[in-house]
Amino acid sequence: MKNLITEMDGLIFCHTGPEYLDMIIDMEKDNSNFVYIWSRERHIEAIKNDDEMHISIINSVDRKLVGYILLAGIGGEDDVLEFRRMAIADKRKGYGRVGVKFIKRYCFELLKCHRLWLDVYTDNENAINLYRSEGFIQEGILRDCKKDKGRYRSMIIMSMLEQEYRAD
């Protein structure tokens, strides 16, 4: 597989190529209650941008795309990375948990970051529970920070520090 990053627990993580963009855009629409919708152009920009990383998640058995991950802050001077987004097509198969475990390992062990942070809508209980169970700590709430379909939504900020990852 070209652009391979690693294989872990039955999933292949690789740098996203343009062949996956249609499926990723569809996946985003299917997860639109919990992730931002990007244009094709914005996804291409993330693929090409040195500050961002666009990662596809492939099932190693059937080689089908099951999700994707976006990171930001690559190479920043503060050693802080944003776990910008993860969307999974096939729910309740453990792909999200493996994705979070991969991101923690990749960010702390390979990229040598000090802090990994994310934001998540307050009503996305499945994601919040997953992040908590994987050691992320809630830092605060951004109240009514996003306008979505005419209503305001709040987001929880969560993070993990390098020493917390190492202690896990």
Side-chain angles (χ1 to χ4, degrees), residues 103-119:
I103 283 301
K104 291 184 330 184
R105 182 185 304 167
Y106 188 75
C107 291
F108 289 114
E109 294 182 17
L110 265 61
L111 298 179
K112 305 295 184 194
C113 82
H114 172 70
R115 180 175 183 266
L116 178 62
W117 73 276
L118 59 89
D119 55 26

Side-chain angles (χ1 to χ4, degrees), residues 31-58:
N31 286 277
S32 65
N33 284 338
F34 300 116
V35 300
Y36 309 130
I37 303 297
W38 277 5
S39 66
R40 171 181 291 281
E41 292 74 25
R42 180 61 184 96
H43 279 284
I44 291 170
E45 181 182 323
I47 290 168
K48 294 179 178 179
N49 189 343
D50 290 339
D51 181 63
E52 296 176 297
M53 187 172 283
H54 205 301
I55 301 166
S56 292
I57 307 170
I58 313 293

Side-chain angles (χ1 to χ4, degrees), residues 19 71 87 149 158:
E19 68 274 17
L71 290 176
K149 301 173 190 140
M158 303 179 88

